[in-house]
Amino acid sequence: MSALQETLHGTQPEIVVSVGTDLHLFDRLIDWVDDWLAAQDDRPSCLVQHGASRAPKHALGISRMSRSELLDLYAGAKIVIVQGGPGSILDAREVGALPIAVPRRPEKQEVVDGHQIAFTETMEQQGEAVAVHSEEQLRRSLEAALRNPELFQKSPRVSDPDAAALCLETEVRKMLENPQKQQSLKKAQIMLRSRKMARVAQSASAKHRGEAKQAKNPARIWARAAQLIQERLQP
C-alpha cells in the first residue's frame, strides 16, 4: 500500500491542494487553506500535498506522491488548488480541472523569481486558471467553487508542443524587433530557462533525424528562443 493510499483510506477528497516539491516553503498557501477550513461548519474533505512546507492542521497531508496519483486526485476532486507553476497548472488542466492557482512570490522567499506570477496571469487570461493573489480572493474562489463546481471544470487541455513552440517563436521575434521590450525579454528569459534546460537532451537526441525535421522540433525552437533572448540582453 502506498503512502497516499494509507493517508486516504479509500476516500476521494473534495478539495486537492498541491504546492509542488520545491525546497522553498509555501506555508502561506497552507495557512490560507487551513484558516478557511477551520471556519467551515460543514467542512469539506481536503488533501494537501505540502512538499517541504508544513503539514496542514485541518486537512489530510502528504509530502509527495507520484504524478499519476496526483492526476487521479485532480480528476476526482471538486476543487483543485495549485501553486502557480507551469507544471502544476498544466497537470490540472490535463485532466479537466480549472485550477485555483496561487503563485509563489520571490519577495516572500517562496521562489527564486517571479515566473509563477507571470505564468499564472497568462493562464488566467487564456481561461486556463483562476488566479488568486490574496487570502480573501482564495476564500471567494472556494465559496464560488462550492456553490457552482461545474464552473471549475473544463474540457481537458490537450498538449500541442509544436503549436506552442511556434507561437512562442513568433512572440519572441516580435519582442526582439522592439528595443523597448527589454523588461519583457527578461521575464521571458526567466520563464524559458527551465524549459530550455529540460529539453536540451531531447534536442540533442533529435540530431540524427535530419535538418528539416530538426527545424520543426519544439525543443530546438524553445532553446533557440532562449538563445536569442540571451544575445539581446547581453551588454
Side-chain angles (χ1 to χ4, degrees):
M1 182 179 292
S2 70
L4 179 63
Q5 291 171 331
E6 291 179 356
T7 300
L8 292 177
H9 299 291
T11 63
Q12 164 67 51
E14 297 171 81
I15 302 173
V16 176
V17 183
S18 174
V19 306
T21 56
D22 195 305
L23 293 178
H24 295 82
L25 303 183
F26 201 14
D27 291 349
R28 177 169 61 99
L29 175 55
I30 297 173
D31 289 343
W32 290 358
V33 172
D34 257 342
D35 290 346
W36 181 81
L37 288 169
Q40 304 307 302
D41 294 329
D42 186 13
R43 187 179 301 171
S45 58
C46 179
L47 174 75
V48 177
Q49 179 274 310
H50 55 82
S53 302
R54 75 164 182 84
K57 298 175 182 176
H58 301 293
L60 297 174
I62 186 169
S63 62
R64 61 182 62 217
M65 68 189 81
S66 70
R67 180 173 180 269
S68 61
E69 289 176 322
L70 186 61
L71 292 183
D72 286 343
L73 286 174
Y74 285 166
K78 290 183 178 178
I79 305 170
V80 174
I81 304 172
V82 297
Q83 64 169 348
S88 297
I89 293 175
L90 295 176
D91 277 351
R93 288 295 301 115
E94 183 176 318
V95 296
L98 180 66
I100 297 171
V102 184
R104 292 171 179 256
R105 304 193 70 90
E107 69 271 19
K108 296 182 180 294
Q109 290 74 54
E110 296 168 342
V111 69
V112 296
D113 55 49
H115 75 277
Q116 287 202 3
I117 299 171
F119 188 79
T120 299
E121 291 173 351
T122 297
M123 294 304 281
E124 182 176 55
Q125 291 168 6
Q126 296 178 4
E128 302 287 359
V130 176
V132 163
H133 299 282
S134 70
E135 185 172 8
E136 180 57 32
Q137 282 184 314
L138 179 63
R139 289 176 178 173
R140 290 200 302 267
S141 296
L142 282 166
E143 290 162 6
L146 286 178
R147 287 194 304 269
N148 300 289
E150 68 279 0
L151 297 180
F152 288 76
Q153 302 293 324
K154 295 184 68 175
S155 298
R157 185 178 187 274
V158 179
S159 177
D160 187 347
D162 293 298
L166 290 172
C167 180
L168 170 69
E169 183 180 41
T170 299
E171 293 304 315
V172 167
R173 291 193 181 282
K174 287 180 182 177
M175 287 191 289
L176 290 170
E177 292 169 0
N178 189 338
Q180 306 301 318
K181 293 287 187 177
Q182 289 293 96
Q183 192 60 37
S184 296
L185 285 172
K186 290 178 181 178
K187 289 181 180 179
Q189 183 189 34
I190 289 170
M191 293 181 68
L192 278 168
R193 190 176 297 138
S194 60
R195 174 75 66 169
K196 176 186 176 184
M197 293 296 290
R199 291 186 177 271
V200 66
Q202 179 187 344
S203 180
S205 69
K207 288 183 178 179
H208 69 279
R209 293 200 291 262
E211 290 301 320
K213 195 166 185 178
Q214 283 187 50
K216 297 180 181 179
N217 187 285
R220 293 179 62 82
I221 294 175
W222 287 108
R224 179 57 181 160
Q227 181 182 348
L228 287 170
I229 291 174
Q230 181 62 41
E231 290 171 355
R232 171 57 66 86
L233 290 174
Q234 286 176 345

